[in-house]
Amino acid sequence: MHAEQTHRDRAFGFATRAIHYGQEPDATTGAVAPILSLATTYKQDGVNQPRGGFEYSRAQNPTRAQLETVLAGLENAEFANAFASGLAALAGLMSLFAPGDHIIAGDDLYGGTARYFDQVLSKYGIEFSYIDATNLDALERAIAPNTKLIYLESPTNPMLRLADIRAVSELAKRRNVLLAVDNTFATPYLQRPLELGADVVLHSSTKYLGGHSDIVGGALMTNRRDLYEKFQFHQKAVGAVPSPFDCWLLMRSIKTLALRMEKHCENALAVAQFLERSGAAKKVYYPGLPSNPFHELAKRQMPKGFGGMVSVDLGGRAEAEAFIKELRLFIFAESLGGVESLACFPWEMTHASVPIERRLKLGLTEGLIRLSVGIEDKEDLINELERALSAAQVAVAT
Ligand code: P1T
């Protein structure tokens, strides 16, 4: 319902959409903040006469409908569906497919996504091929008669590789395959895959959209009504929907997304430049560095900034562990995209379930640390990283 109204105000800029879409002052009270609608069920005026389309909160909820309007607005999409987590959104997307279908997945994905594909969906007869999504020829070669979807992240988690979304979408259209892009790392502030030809965008709103490490959520956005209706059916039939309070909190967070992303990008660039300059890291992965192989594509595809994630290979596990021990401001934890900086050790944490050969092929080693650079004062972050790098060097020298 509300999500369908979004196209009417396309003239507004991103920050305006993030603050106003779906959030007109309440019709009866004038309340400026959205009303938190906790009711699980709604009085119907007669048989087949629900008011405003609301029957039961798993299927539709007014606060969730408001959130879905703003979520659609962020990606300039016609439709959005909110879910209880990023993986629940992925399950909604995967509900489109049946046994015997083949899916091409990028070879560098959040470990939980790969785990869902390998350990859950494979049991139901859906086949997966993991292909380097930065290589168009390899993608095309992997398309089989039963291929239904190309699924990729850009930038990827954790190697921060970029696929050329427009080129992949042209390939997908030519070969009659859907393209879905997990846009969690970039956020719609920096990159809007639907505008580049993707059919569906997925978000873990647990990350930058939530922005404060206090909401688990997910979303699917699309311009295709047929897909939206299937996702809506999945919300109702399977039920992995967010609570009204989580929807409310997420709307509140999204209002500052543009501001936060500016600062995440500024700080991450400074951190990446510092790490590279220090000469103490074996490798620094950040698409904003001119030395990065995806830098030219990043400038085109993410013109407003290169995101808040930086990965760094310190050479080995001993260095990584010594580095982690020295961290205070960078909290050693999974997840990303919050205002506070986090450091993660993908080998043992987010990507432990990915087969070792697949990890090593990507450069996902035991020396790799993934930094989610927050919005603190960048000098403090860099001072801390300088200390941690020295500790890493001492660890291997002794
Ligand atoms: O955690 P959840 O909200 O279910 O979202 C899953 C997910 C999907 N896509 C990407 C790119 C992700 O990074 C994630 C979750 N990632 C982490 C928890 C992490 O630390 O990488």
Side-chain angles (χ1 to χ4, degrees):
M1 65 218 73
H2 303 267
E4 292 169 26
Q5 297 166 6
T6 56
H7 55 273
R8 84 188 160 193
D9 291 331
R10 280 262 165 86
F12 287 127
F14 183 88
T16 308
R17 300 200 301 276
I19 291 168
H20 290 288
Y21 264 26
Q23 296 169 68
E24 292 83 11
D26 179 58
T28 39
T29 63
V32 168
I35 298 288
L36 176 56
S37 181
L38 294 173
T40 55
T41 192
Y42 303 87
K43 177 177 172 9
Q44 304 193 20
D45 291 330
V47 175
N48 287 333
Q49 290 173 26
R51 284 187 205 171
F54 297 105
E55 296 160 342
Y56 183 62
S57 187
R58 167 164 34 77
Q60 317 90 5
N61 170 279
T63 311
R64 194 171 91 220
Q66 288 186 280
L67 170 66
E68 289 174 340
T69 302
V70 71
L71 286 172
L74 296 182
E75 290 284 358
N76 256 337
E78 294 287 342
F79 309 109
N81 300 85
F83 291 89
S85 68
L87 283 178
L90 187 63
L93 174 65
M94 292 298 146
S95 73
L96 299 176
F97 307 106
D101 286 346
H102 173 240
I103 290 171
I104 297 175
D107 60 357
D108 186 14
L109 292 173
Y110 166 55
T113 298
R115 181 178 56 202
Y116 177 51
F117 291 168
D118 293 341
Q119 297 183 36
V120 181
L121 291 180
S122 294
K123 282 199 306 202
Y124 297 100
I126 298 179
E127 295 163 28
F128 292 90
S129 301
Y130 293 94
I131 304 293
D132 176 0
T134 72
N135 181 339
L136 273 182
D137 291 339
L139 283 177
E140 176 137 37
R141 278 197 305 276
I143 297 176
N146 60 339
T147 305
K148 296 286 162 59
L149 173 74
I150 298 175
Y151 184 84
L152 56 86
E153 294 176 4
S154 185
T156 56
N157 180 0
M159 303 311 299
L160 301 162
R161 297 163 64 81
L162 266 64
D164 183 335
I165 297 171
R166 190 181 289 286
V168 178
S169 83
E170 282 164 8
L171 166 67
K173 278 188 182 48
R174 186 155 48 76
R175 301 295 301 268
N176 201 20
V177 170
L178 288 175
L179 171 63
V181 176
D182 181 333
N183 202 27
T184 299
F185 268 39
T187 81
Y189 180 67
L190 301 177
Q191 166 178 284
R192 287 189 287 280
L194 297 178
E195 292 175 357
L196 301 171
D199 299 289
V200 182
V201 166
L202 179 143
H203 280 280
S204 165
S205 41
T206 315
K207 311 299 179 330
Y208 289 102
L209 302 188
H212 301 73
S213 304
D214 55 10
I215 312 165
V216 174
L220 295 173
M221 291 82 155
T222 183
N223 289 322
R224 280 186 47 175
R225 180 181 288 278
D226 59 332
L227 299 182
Y228 166 66
E229 286 175 356
K230 286 180 178 157
F231 301 151
Q232 231 180 1
F233 174 80
H234 184 83
Q235 287 177 309
K236 173 175 161 168
V238 179
V241 291
S243 74
F245 183 65
D246 280 354
C247 295
W248 185 91
L249 206 50
L250 193 49
M251 277 191 276
R252 176 173 160 143
S253 293
I254 285 170
K255 289 179 197 289
T256 57
L257 179 61
L259 279 176
R260 285 187 281 110
M261 288 317 295
E262 285 290 331
K263 186 73 172 150
H264 281 296
C265 291
E266 178 191 326
N267 283 4
L269 181 62
V271 160
Q273 285 169 338
F274 161 74
L275 290 171
E276 185 169 67
R277 215 175 37 242
S278 77
K282 187 172 159 207
K283 199 138 194 210
V284 182
Y285 300 92
Y286 186 65
L289 292 174
S291 58
N292 185 281
F294 303 101
H295 186 57
E296 288 309 312
L297 173 59
K299 283 199 287 190
R300 233 176 36 241
Q301 196 161 269
M302 304 167 65
K304 281 208 207 131
F306 306 104
M309 300 300 294
V310 178
S311 289
V312 53
D313 190 336
L314 297 174
R317 188 172 182 122
E319 289 93 327
E321 289 196 13
F323 181 91
I324 289 162
K325 261 203 207 120
E326 200 59 34
L327 299 176
R328 301 286 176 274
L329 293 174
F330 280 87
I331 299 166
F332 182 51
E334 302 206 6
S335 203
L336 58 116
V339 291
E340 62 286 297
S341 292
L342 301 178
C344 158
F345 185 46
W347 186 271
E348 296 288 0
M349 296 162 84
T350 50
H351 291 72
S353 62
V354 176
I356 287 184
E357 322 77 72
R358 209 190 296 157
R359 284 188 242 168
L360 291 177
K361 198 168 142 234
L362 294 168
L364 200 175
T365 67
E366 287 189 84
L368 192 82
I369 304 275
R370 189 191 70 184
L371 300 173
S372 172
V373 182
I375 64 170
E376 300 94 338
D377 292 305
K378 61 176 177 266
E379 297 73 19
D380 294 329
L381 299 179
I382 288 172
N383 286 340
E384 176 161 295
L385 293 174
E386 196 165 17
R387 281 197 304 277
L389 277 180
S390 309
Q393 285 176 319
V394 170
V396 282
T398 50

